[in-house]
Amino acid sequence: MTVHGDLTGVSAGENPLHRATDILGKKWHPLLVHTLLTEGALGFNDIKNRIDGISDKMLSEALNDLQDAGVVVRDVIDDKPVRVNYSLTPAGQDLGPIIEALLEWSHEHFPENA
Amino acid sequence: MTVHGDLTGVSAGENPLHRATDILGKKWHPLLVHTLLTEGALGFNDIKNRIDGISDKMLSEALNDLQDAGVVVRDVIDDKPVRVNYSLTPAGQDLGPIIEALLEWSHEHFPENA
DNA sequence: CAGTATCCAAATAGATACTG
DNA sequence: CAGTATCTATTTGGATACTG
C-alpha cells in the first residue's frame, strides 16, 4: 500500500507542495535550475547565453527568487572585473532528479512534442 | 555518471518540461491531481468539498485544463440527475509519485513549514 | 448536481533603457 | 561583466450571478 501525504482539505497556497510548485511553475525557473544542474556554477552572462530568449530582467528576477527559495547560491569572486557565480544549494540539487522525472514523464506520455 | 536530458539552449515554452510545469505551476492543479490520486474518481461537488477555498469557476477551469492536458478524464453517468465523474488518466497517475517526491523534498529541506 | 458568463483585481512577463 | 528601473501587456485568479 502506498502512503500518500495528506493534503486533503488544505487550501492551495499554504501547503508544503506550494514551495516546490511555486518554483516549478514560473516560466524560466525550472530551465534555470536544470541548466545549473547540468553545467555547474555559471556567471550571469554564461547563463544568459545558455537560456535562449531570457532577458536580463527575467534572469535577474529568477535568480533572486531562487536565492530566496533556498535553491540557488550566489558567490562573488572578487576579481577585476568582479565575477559572480551561481550554483545550486543541496536543496536545488535534490530538485534535479525530480525535474528529470518530469522530463521522463513527458517523453513517456507525450512523445510527439519531445 | 548521471545522464541528464538535454535542455540546453532551449527556450522555455516549447520544451517538454513545459508540459509538466504548466500543470504543476497552476494554483489548484497539483492539489486537484493529488486529490483524485488519493481518493479516486469524484464528482464535481465532491471535489469542491475536498479542496478548501476553490470556487466553481476555478474548479471548472482546472478540470478543463487537466482534460486538455491528458491528465484527467471526464465520465458522464447518465442518471437522473446526471452524474459526472472525474478521474486520472494513466499519465495523471504517473504524476502522483512525482508530486509525492515534491512533497518529500519540501519536508526534507524546509521542515519548518510542513 | 454540474457547470458557464461577466466583470474586475492582482500577479507575471516583456521591451527598453540605464548604472557601477 | 552584472545587474536595476520603469512602464506596459498579458495571464491568472476571484466574486457574483446565472443556467440546464
Side-chain angles (χ1 to χ4, degrees):
Chain A
M1 160 196 152
T2 2
V3 176
H4 296 288
D6 189 9
L7 250 47
T8 314
V10 85
S11 55
E14 328 81 359
N15 70 70
L17 196 49
H18 187 249
R19 179 176 289 266
T21 56
D22 197 41
I23 294 168
L24 293 176
K26 299 295 169 59
K27 182 159 184 182
W28 302 102
H29 297 201
L31 214 44
L32 186 39
V33 171
H34 192 267
T35 301
L36 292 177
L37 185 75
T38 56
E39 312 226 11
L42 292 173
F44 192 89
N45 285 299
D46 297 326
I47 300 174
K48 249 195 80 171
N49 294 332
R50 278 168 182 78
I51 301 185
D52 194 44
I54 197 170
S55 69
D56 285 4
K57 182 201 168 192
M58 289 295 110
L59 179 53
S60 176
E61 281 184 13
L63 286 169
N64 286 331
D65 276 9
L66 258 15
Q67 285 172 77
D68 292 351
V71 163
V72 159
V73 266
R74 190 181 120 117
D75 291 301
V76 180
I77 291 123
D78 213 358
D79 269 350
K80 273 284 201 170
V82 68
R83 277 234 132 231
V84 179
N85 265 353
Y86 292 94
S87 55
L88 297 175
T89 62
Q93 285 169 33
D94 284 355
L95 225 37
I98 302 184
I99 293 182
E100 293 296 322
L102 252 15
L103 231 26
E104 210 184 307
W105 175 85
S106 177
H107 287 138
E108 199 167 319
H109 292 284
F110 311 94
E112 66 282 9
N113 75 334
Chain B
M1 159 196 152
T2 3
V3 177
H4 296 290
D6 189 9
L7 249 48
T8 315
V10 85
S11 55
E14 326 83 356
N15 70 70
L17 196 49
H18 187 250
R19 178 176 289 266
T21 55
D22 197 40
I23 294 169
L24 294 176
K26 298 296 170 58
K27 180 161 185 179
W28 303 101
H29 297 200
L31 213 44
L32 186 39
V33 171
H34 192 267
T35 301
L36 293 176
L37 185 75
T38 56
E39 311 227 12
L42 293 173
F44 192 89
N45 286 299
D46 298 326
I47 300 174
K48 248 194 80 169
N49 294 332
R50 278 170 180 78
I51 300 184
D52 194 45
I54 197 169
S55 69
D56 286 3
K57 182 202 167 190
M58 289 296 109
L59 179 52
S60 176
E61 280 184 12
L63 286 169
N64 286 331
D65 276 9
L66 257 15
Q67 282 165 231
D68 292 350
V71 164
V72 159
V73 266
R74 190 181 120 116
D75 291 301
V76 180
I77 291 123
D78 213 356
D79 270 350
K80 271 288 199 172
V82 69
R83 279 235 131 231
V84 179
N85 266 352
Y86 292 94
S87 55
L88 296 175
T89 62
Q93 285 170 33
D94 284 355
L95 226 35
I98 301 183
I99 293 182
E100 292 297 321
L102 252 15
L103 231 26
E104 209 183 307
W105 175 85
S106 176
H107 287 139
E108 200 167 318
H109 293 284
F110 311 94
E112 67 281 9
N113 75 334

